[in-house]
Structure formats: structure tokens, C-alpha cells
């Protein structure tokens, strides 16, 4: 099942996952796969209403008691033993849903999206007994840079790019269990500075991943 879920991840998420130690790999695969699934709902949506219905399904399932959840959805099953069955991840669903509004992106939409990834990282850090604050800071940087890179080239996205750059103040070394987050943060931040989504898959991005994955910064 892990291999099937792994295949759903984009290349950068797979690269980041490679630096998760055994203690956190299963959980990192779970949250990255959930984030990817929700991203797909939004990015492939032809009708916002249909996307909202799909996201509402996830929100409702995460809000349900684990014993009442439907059988057959692997990601839901993987979240069964999380705090409140992964209920804090509803914020991640809401964050992706915020991007369904009419462009340009509003400040509230940007805040909601970043808050969703912050909740994801904070919940995972707490589960792995890591520094929650550091994880939340890194997740916000990752979210803002990622959103800036994939937004259209208009005034709003230019402002978002600046906001992501402003959030790039230094942190100490990232704990091993949270290294995938540091990899995602650093690669997205560099690509944002360059203003190029292609930098996410460059040879230099691999070097960043190796450095950050091994030493934590």
C-alpha cells in the first residue's frame, strides 16, 4: 500500500520523503499524500462547486469519529490513530478550498492556505514529539513560496512572492524526523527567490535536498 500511495506524490515530495527517517516516514507519506490529493482536487477542478463538494467530503470524514468512517479510503485509515483521528487536518482542507475563489487571491485566502499547511506540520511535529513552533514556521515559508511560484503573474502574486521572501528569516537545525519539511521549505524558497518554478526540479535543488536532508539546514 505504501508503494501505491508513494506513486501519487509529485517528484519534489518524493525527494523530500527520502530524507524522512524510519520513525517518521510512514506519517510523512500520509500527510504528503493527503496534501497532494487535496491539491489535485483544486488544480484539476473545472467547476469550483464540484471541487468544494469533494473537499467537503474530506472535511466531514476528518470530523467523524474514527469508528464511523467509511472503509476503503487508505489515507483515512492511516489517520485513524492520530490525535482526534487527524481532525486538526481539517485546516489543510480549508486551506486548499480557500484557493477556489475568483482571482486574484485575497489576503484571507493566502492566510488560510498557509494556515492549513502550518496545522499539518504542527500536528505531525506534535505526533513525532518534535518542536512544533519550528515546524510551523517552516511550513508557513513552504506554503507561501509554493503558492507564489504557482500563482499567475499578476499584482497579487507579486505581493505574495515578496511576502514569502520576507518570511525567510533563519531557524536552527531541523530535527531529523522533520527533515522532509526543511527540504520542501528550502527548495521552494530558493525557487521563489529565482522566480522560477523550474528551479524546483533543477540539479541544484537536489544538492539542497542532500545538504538539508543530512544536516538539517
Amino acid at each position: 500500500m505504501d508503494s501505491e500511495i508513494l506513486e501519487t506524490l509529485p517528484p519534489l515530495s518524493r525527494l523530500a520523503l527520502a530524507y524522512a527517517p524510519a520513525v517518521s516516514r510512514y506519517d510523512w507519506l500520509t500527510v504528503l499524500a493527503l496534501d497532494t490529493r487535496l491539491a489535485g482536487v483544486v488544480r484539476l477542478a473545472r467547476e469550483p462547486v464540484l471541487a468544494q463538494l469533494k473537499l467537503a467530503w474530506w472535511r466531514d470524514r476528518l470530523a467523524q469519529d474514527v469508528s464511523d468512517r467509511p472503509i476503503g479510503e487508505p489515507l483515512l485509515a492511516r489517520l485513524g490513530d492520530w490525535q482526534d483521528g487527524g481532525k486538526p487536518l481539517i485546516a489543510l482542507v480549508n486551506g486548499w478550498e480557500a484557493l477556489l475563489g475568483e482571482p486574484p487571491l485575497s489576503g484571507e485566502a493566502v492566510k488560510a492556505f498557509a494556515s492549513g499547511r502550518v496545522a499539518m506540520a504542527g500536528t505531525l511535529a506534535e505526533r513525532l514529539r518534535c518542536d512544533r513552533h519550528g515546524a510551523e514556521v517552516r511550513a508557513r515559508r513552504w506554503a507561501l513560496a509554493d503558492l507564489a511560484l504557482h500563482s499567475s503573474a499578476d499584482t497579487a502574486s507579486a505581493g505574495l512572492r515578496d511576502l514569502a521572501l520576507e518570511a525567510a528569516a533563519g531557524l536552527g537545525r531541523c530535527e531529523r524526523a522533520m527533515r522532509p519539511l526543511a527540504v520542501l521549505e528550502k527548495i521552494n524558497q530558493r525557487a521563489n527567490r529565482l522566480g522560477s518554478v523550474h528551479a524546483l526540479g533543477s540539479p541544484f535543488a537536489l544538492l539542497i535536498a542532500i545538504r538539508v536532508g543530512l544536516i538539517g539546514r
Side-chain angles (χ1 to χ4, degrees), residues 167-187:
L171 274 176
R173 181 173 297 181
C174 182
E175 295 158 286
R176 285 190 58 81
M178 298 300 291
R179 293 283 168 86
L181 178 59
V183 170
L184 291 167
E185 173 214 345
K186 293 297 186 183
I187 292 178

Side-chain angles (χ1 to χ4, degrees), residues 8-23:
T8 69
L9 298 185
L12 182 55
S13 293
R14 292 193 196 189
L15 177 61
L17 183 65
Y19 292 96
V23 68

